[in-house]
């Protein structure tokens, strides 16, 4: 049997003929001439969809002619009379050769349902037995089968034969005799069919009795097997118990020997203990005397121990007091550190404010010098100037020394008039009650150097915490 490199998918399940009509083989010849390629044409029905691993195989079939209705699958009924029956292959594993099926691109197209494969002459059978095409899907199920065909030369029956009249009469006489024999065979066939039906009925009855006996036999075999398994299980348990008892007896014997040896050893040790007891009695008398001396020394040691305990208690109290003082100092140190950090922040803020005001003061001085030069005066020759201070300059607002430069030199105010400020509330010159009240309010308030937030003087701690939060 010829095969390709990869074997097709097959199945060992017996044939199911209900699917044989899903693929129809067309134009199958009764015989093919050996030595030539064979083209197999087939058509898919509307209920079948091909898959990638489908294949078409050539299977060998054998037929015999009979007049009885055998239970084997009927394949063909020739015109010559009688019935031809298949006695060949039973599973799809019995193929002679095969070819893979080419899948059509579009199954909905009518032309796509008409397919064909070509078997090369090298892989075809060389005998004149009957064969047939079978379409097998990738699950190993037969989806279509063709009529049988042979691989043989041209049929000899197609050759014209010329015979004489005498031969024709002889053939006719022979045909009459054959017809008579055929009638006799038909009569005997009817009798055989009747006998066969009777035998079939009897066989069916025997078959039912056999099935009943087989079921009873199976039940008995099952019971025997269960009883046998039960006995084997009990026998195995008894063997295991026997082995355990034997091992336990051996262990008990060994244990008895060990106990006897221990008893003899303990008797010897008892004698030694009695002798040792006498020695210990003498030692006890000696120890009692020593115990009296030790009791006296122990009393003295207890007195010394009480003194030591009092000393240790005093040292613990001193240590506790020292630890409390140390904790208080640490808390005070932490508080001082925190306050120092806050003071540093306030100092840095004041320093930045001072630098800013000094810069503004410098700008105003330069502006004043420019205006004086514009008026034709020298700044250094002026008898009065605005006083400046390194520490208090941040809280003063510098002004023009000689008033408005555009009002003329003759209208400049005197030094005494420049130093006098007007009250913003009552517009009075000099110091009034409103000015003193404002200065007292400023003294009673605390201004944040960073965000200009005002706190009452009574909330100094809150002010310090607020300034410290800016540093976080």
């Amino acid at each position: 049997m010829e095969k390709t490199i990869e074997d097709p998918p097959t199945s060992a399940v017996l044939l199911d003929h209900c699917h044989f009509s899903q693929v129809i083989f067309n134009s199958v010849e009764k015989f093919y001439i050996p030595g030539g390629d064979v083209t197999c044409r087939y058509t898919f029905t509307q209920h079948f969809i091909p898959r990638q691993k489908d294949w078409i195989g050539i299977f060998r079939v054998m037929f015999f002619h009979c007049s009885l209705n055998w239970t084997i699958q009927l394949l063909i009924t020739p015109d010559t009379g009688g019935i031809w029956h298949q006695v060949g292959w039973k599973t799809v594993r019995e193929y002679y050769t095969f070819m893979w099926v080419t899948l059509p691109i579009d199954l909905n197209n009518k032309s796509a349902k008409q397919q064909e494969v070509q078997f090369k002459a090298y892989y075809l059978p060389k005998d004149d037995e009957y064969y047939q095409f079978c379409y097998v899907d990738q699950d190993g199920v037969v989806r279509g089968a063709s009529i049988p065909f042979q691989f043989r030369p041209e049929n000899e029956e197609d050759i014209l034969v010329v015979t004489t009249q005498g031969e024709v009469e002889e053939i006719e006489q022979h045909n009459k005799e054959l017809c008579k024999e055929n009638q006799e065979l038909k009569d005997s066939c009817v009798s055989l069919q009747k006998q066969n039906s009777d035998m079939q009925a009897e066989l069916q009855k025997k078959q039912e009795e056999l099935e009943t006996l087989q079921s009873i036999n199976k039940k008995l075999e099952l019971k025997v097997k269960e009883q046998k398994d039960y006995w084997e299980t009990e026998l195995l348990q008894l063997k295991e118990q026997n082995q355990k008892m034997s091992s336990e007896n051996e262990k008990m014997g060994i244990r008895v020997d060990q106990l006897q040896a221990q008893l003899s050893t303990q008797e010897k040790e008892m004698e030694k203990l009695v002798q040792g007891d006498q020695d210990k009695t003498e030692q006890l008398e000696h120890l009692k005397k020593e115990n009296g001396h030790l009791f006296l020394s122990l009393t003295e040691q207890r007195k010394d121990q009480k003194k030591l305990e009092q000393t240790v208690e005093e040292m613990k109290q001193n240590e506790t007091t020292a630890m409390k003082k140390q904790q208080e100092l640490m808390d005070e140190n932490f508080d001082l550190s925190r306050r120092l950090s806050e003071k540093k922040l306030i100092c840095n803020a004041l320093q930045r404010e001072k630098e800013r005001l000094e810069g503004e003061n410098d700008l105003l001085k330069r502006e004043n010098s420019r205006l004086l030069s514009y008026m034709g005066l020298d700044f250094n020759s002026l008898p009065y100037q605005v006083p400046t201070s390194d520490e208090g300059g941040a809280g003063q607002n510098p002004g023009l020394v000689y008033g408005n430069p555009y009002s003329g030199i003759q209208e400049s105010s005197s030094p005494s008039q420049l130093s006098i400020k007007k009250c913003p509330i009552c517009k009075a010159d000099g110091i009034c009650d409103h000015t003193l009240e404002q200065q007292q309010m400023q003294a009673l308030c605390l201004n944040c150097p960073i965000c200009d937030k005002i706190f009452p003087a009574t909330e100094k701690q809150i002010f310090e915490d607020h300034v410290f939060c800016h540093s976080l």
Side-chain angles (χ1 to χ4, degrees):
M1 184 182 295
E2 299 291 339
K3 294 184 180 181
T4 58
I5 296 176
E6 181 183 359
D7 293 334
T10 58
S11 174
V13 180
L14 295 177
L15 297 180
D16 185 6
H17 303 288
C18 63
H19 303 295
F20 279 20
S21 61
Q22 293 183 355
V23 178
I24 300 173
F25 289 91
N26 306 319
S27 304
V28 179
E29 302 291 341
K30 293 182 179 180
F31 64 89
Y32 293 95
I33 299 174
D37 298 339
V38 174
T39 300
C40 174
R41 296 178 177 84
Y42 56 95
T43 303
F44 295 126
T45 61
Q46 61 181 356
H47 302 292
F48 178 72
I49 299 175
R51 291 183 287 179
Q52 186 176 5
K53 289 292 184 177
D54 294 356
W55 53 283
I56 295 177
I58 296 178
F59 292 80
R60 181 180 178 182
V61 292
M62 293 184 295
F63 299 91
F64 63 93
H65 184 271
C66 68
S67 59
L68 299 177
N69 186 15
W70 297 86
T71 58
I72 304 176
Q73 172 64 27
L74 175 65
L75 291 181
I76 183 173
T77 303
D79 297 334
T80 57
I83 302 174
W84 292 85
H85 298 280
Q86 172 190 353
V87 294
W89 61 279
K90 296 295 181 184
T91 65
V92 295
R93 294 181 178 178
E94 303 177 21
Y95 63 89
Y96 183 88
T97 185
F98 79 96
M99 290 292 293
W100 294 110
V101 172
T102 303
L103 295 179
I105 299 175
D106 186 8
L107 290 174
N108 297 324
N109 191 1
K110 185 176 180 180
S111 61
K113 296 183 180 295
Q114 304 290 335
Q115 300 293 323
E116 64 179 31
V117 293
Q118 189 175 38
F119 291 88
K120 297 296 182 182
Y122 177 78
Y123 298 102
L124 297 176
K126 302 298 188 294
D127 52 22
D128 59 351
E129 297 292 338
Y130 281 93
Y131 294 87
Q132 66 177 160
F133 298 115
C134 288
Y135 188 102
V136 185
D137 64 9
Q138 66 179 14
D139 296 327
V141 179
V142 178
R143 299 295 181 176
S146 69
I147 60 174
F149 56 85
Q150 289 179 290
F151 293 94
R152 62 180 177 81
E154 187 177 358
N155 194 354
E156 296 177 356
E157 294 179 357
D158 296 337
I159 301 174
L160 180 64
V161 179
V162 180
T163 58
T164 61
Q165 183 67 29
E167 291 176 349
V168 171
E169 293 177 355
E170 184 178 355
I171 291 171
E172 289 179 353
Q173 183 65 28
H174 184 66
N175 286 334
K176 290 179 180 180
E177 294 176 356
L178 290 174
C179 289
K180 185 177 180 181
E181 291 179 359
N182 188 19
Q183 185 65 32
E184 293 175 355
L185 289 172
K186 287 182 178 180
D187 295 337
S188 63
C189 180
V190 172
S191 176
L192 288 172
Q193 286 180 350
K194 184 177 181 182
Q195 293 178 4
N196 184 29
S197 61
D198 295 337
M199 291 178 67
Q200 288 286 343
E202 186 177 0
L203 179 63
Q204 183 69 23
K205 184 177 180 181
K206 295 292 183 183
Q207 185 72 22
E208 292 177 355
E209 293 177 356
L210 179 61
E211 290 178 354
T212 305
L213 292 173
Q214 286 178 352
S215 62
I216 295 171
N217 188 22
K218 287 181 179 179
K219 292 179 180 179
L220 292 174
E221 288 178 354
L222 184 60
K223 289 182 179 179
V224 170
K225 185 177 180 182
E226 291 177 354
Q227 190 68 26
K228 184 178 178 182
D229 294 338
Y230 177 72
W231 287 344
E232 288 178 354
T233 305
E234 286 190 347
L235 181 61
L236 183 61
Q237 291 177 355
L238 290 173
K239 286 182 179 180
E240 290 178 353
Q241 290 178 0
N242 190 14
Q243 291 178 358
K244 288 180 180 179
M245 292 296 292
S246 299
S247 61
E248 287 179 358
N249 289 332
E250 293 177 358
K251 291 179 180 179
M252 290 298 291
I254 296 170
R255 183 62 178 168
V256 169
D257 295 336
Q258 291 177 354
L259 291 174
Q260 289 178 353
Q262 289 179 1
L263 182 60
S264 60
T265 305
Q266 287 178 358
E267 288 176 353
K268 293 178 181 179
E269 290 179 354
M270 184 65 71
E271 293 176 357
K272 292 180 180 180
L273 289 173
V274 171
Q275 183 66 32
D277 191 20
Q278 294 176 358
D279 295 337
K280 287 180 179 179
T281 304
E282 295 176 358
Q283 291 179 2
L284 183 60
E285 294 294 333
H286 180 69
L287 289 173
K288 284 181 179 180
K289 293 178 182 180
E290 290 183 354
N291 191 17
H293 297 296
L294 291 173
F295 182 74
L296 294 175
S297 62
L298 180 61
T299 304
E300 294 177 356
Q301 288 180 1
R302 284 179 179 175
K303 292 179 181 179
D304 295 336
Q305 185 178 1
K306 287 182 180 179
K307 293 179 181 180
L308 291 173
E309 287 178 355
Q310 291 176 358
T311 306
V312 170
E313 187 66 26
E314 292 176 357
M315 292 178 67
K316 286 182 178 180
Q317 292 177 359
N318 295 332
E319 184 180 0
T320 304
T321 305
M323 289 179 68
K324 289 181 179 179
K325 290 182 179 180
Q326 184 180 2
Q327 185 65 30
E328 291 176 357
L329 291 173
M330 289 176 67
D331 294 339
E332 186 177 356
N333 188 17
F334 177 74
D335 187 35
L336 291 173
S337 298
R338 183 176 62 80
R339 290 185 178 182
L340 180 61
S341 299
E342 293 174 359
K343 297 296 182 182
K344 286 182 179 180
L345 291 172
I346 294 171
C347 183
N348 292 332
L350 293 174
Q351 185 67 27
R352 287 193 297 271
E353 184 67 18
K354 177 185 173 183
E355 292 176 356
R356 184 180 67 79
L357 294 174
E358 287 179 352
E360 291 180 357
N361 193 14
D362 292 337
L363 290 174
L364 291 173
K365 284 181 179 182
R366 286 195 295 272
E367 181 66 18
N368 196 7
S369 300
R370 187 181 67 80
L371 292 173
L372 291 173
S373 62
Y374 176 77
M375 295 170 61
L377 299 176
D378 188 6
F379 181 76
N380 295 323
S381 63
L382 293 175
Y384 300 102
Q385 295 181 5
V386 178
T388 59
S389 175
D390 295 336
E391 296 179 357
Q396 299 176 359
N397 293 323
L400 296 176
V401 178
Y402 293 101
N404 189 354
Y406 300 100
S407 62
I409 300 174
Q410 302 295 330
E411 297 179 358
S412 61
S413 60
S414 63
S416 60
Q417 293 176 349
L418 292 174
S419 60
I420 298 172
K421 295 183 179 179
K422 291 184 179 181
C423 177
I425 297 173
C426 62
K427 303 298 182 178
D429 296 332
I431 298 172
C432 64
D433 295 336
H434 298 94
T435 306
L436 292 174
E437 185 179 356
Q438 185 177 4
Q439 291 176 358
Q440 289 176 1
M441 290 294 294
Q442 291 178 356
L444 295 175
C445 297
L446 298 173
N447 295 328
C448 178
I450 298 173
C451 64
D452 294 333
K453 189 174 182 180
I454 300 173
F455 294 88
T458 57
E459 299 178 357
K460 182 177 181 183
Q461 185 63 37
I462 299 174
F463 169 73
E464 293 177 354
D465 294 339
H466 173 77
V467 175
F468 179 74
C469 290
H470 285 294
S471 63
L472 299 180

